[in-house]
Amino acid sequence: MTAIELVVFDMAGTTVRDDGVVEQAFQRAAERTGVADRMPWEDALQHVRDTMGQSKIEVFLHLADGDRAAAERATAAFEAAYDELIAEQGAEEIPGARETIEQLRDAGLKVALTTGFAPVTRDALIDALGWRDLVDVALSPVDAGRGRPHPDLVLTALLRTGASSVQAVAVAGDTASDVQSGRRAGAGFVAGVLSGAHDRATLSGAGADAVLASVVDLRAALAERGLLALIPSA
């Protein structure tokens, strides 16, 4: 078995507490642009929930019935609304996320953050958390080519950090799209976490190797499988 060299974490719902902020931002964007007016509100909201973790432009393209200009306006409105909410409410980590990342990096592993948000929103979150120097790389779909569930974010993280192979990569996220992205990239270990959008059945159904309560449990899950040769026992 290949020891893990790189851990790729999702952000909102995985390492960063969401507490409904994504849905609130979507509601503000929908109200400001009318992007969801073609369907019942509950159907639009359910689509947003089902596609958590995916590139926001792809989500809004569906809601806008393929109208790219409308989707781009809605995406910009969403990003602005999310930034407003972070300014109003602040940003908080999933309890123990920073310590987990620090432990992995102290042991010699690389750590990447990935998200479906645009870089400006991603960076606002990172700055609000004080995580600028915490990780090796932070990526948005525009940095990789395609967003989740495609493998591009995971593979770009591998290339940016110099990991030796996809089998040396672990992926952790709270959505089916996160898990599918890891699986399609060929990651050596893919974990779903229950701190965000999707439940155990959804994450397992997407192909997770393990479903964990939160990222705090990731180190132990990797160690149990003999994937953390670089990390001394606690």
Side-chain angles (χ1 to χ4, degrees):
M1 300 181 75
T2 303
I4 297 300
E5 301 168 15
L6 166 66
V7 181
V8 180
F9 289 109
D10 170 53
M11 293 184 68
T14 301
T15 52
V16 184
R17 290 183 63 168
D18 176 50
D19 293 336
V21 175
V22 169
E23 289 189 16
Q24 292 175 55
F26 165 66
Q27 182 167 356
R28 290 189 185 186
E31 290 171 350
R32 293 170 184 176
T33 66
V35 70
D37 288 352
R38 73 181 185 88
M39 64 178 68
W41 172 251
E42 284 303 318
D43 290 351
L45 186 58
Q46 189 59 51
H47 179 72
V48 170
R49 291 169 176 160
D50 290 343
T51 56
M52 285 286 188
Q54 295 185 18
S55 173
K56 295 300 174 280
I57 185 66
E58 298 300 326
V59 177
F60 284 116
L61 266 173
H62 172 81
L63 295 176
D65 199 23
D67 184 334
R68 179 160 288 274
E72 289 175 350
R73 288 193 298 271
T75 301
F78 172 87
E79 301 289 353
Y82 195 95
D83 291 349
E84 292 167 5
L85 288 161
I86 293 302
E88 293 166 10
Q89 303 176 18
E92 295 183 14
E93 67 169 76
I94 294 293
R98 182 186 183 95
E99 182 179 2
T100 296
I101 292 171
E102 288 174 340
Q103 288 174 346
L104 294 170
R105 293 196 71 197
D106 287 347
L109 278 72
K110 302 289 188 180
V111 174
L113 294 177
T114 62
T115 180
F117 296 145
V120 63
T121 301
R122 177 199 71 208
D123 292 344
L125 264 179
I126 290 172
D127 288 340
L129 291 163
W131 283 10
R132 180 62 60 181
D133 298 321
L134 183 63
V135 299
D136 296 283
V137 65
L139 300 170
S140 295
V142 69
D143 302 310
R146 297 173 297 179
R148 298 179 292 236
H150 299 291
D152 302 33
L153 284 164
V154 176
L155 297 176
T156 300
L158 180 154
L159 293 171
R160 295 277 187 95
T161 60
S164 64
S165 72
V166 290
Q167 282 295 307
V169 179
V171 174
D174 68 298
T175 70
S177 293
D178 296 317
V179 173
Q180 290 164 352
S181 179
R183 285 271 75 94
R184 293 177 184 183
F189 184 79
V190 181
V193 295
L194 297 172
S195 52
H198 290 163
D199 61 17
R200 181 178 298 276
T202 301
L203 296 168
S204 295
D209 293 308
V211 178
L212 312 173
S214 82
V215 292
V216 172
D217 301 314
L218 180 64
R219 177 181 173 180
L222 293 172
E224 287 170 3
R225 291 162 174 80
L227 297 174
L228 286 185
L230 296 177
I231 296 183
S233 58

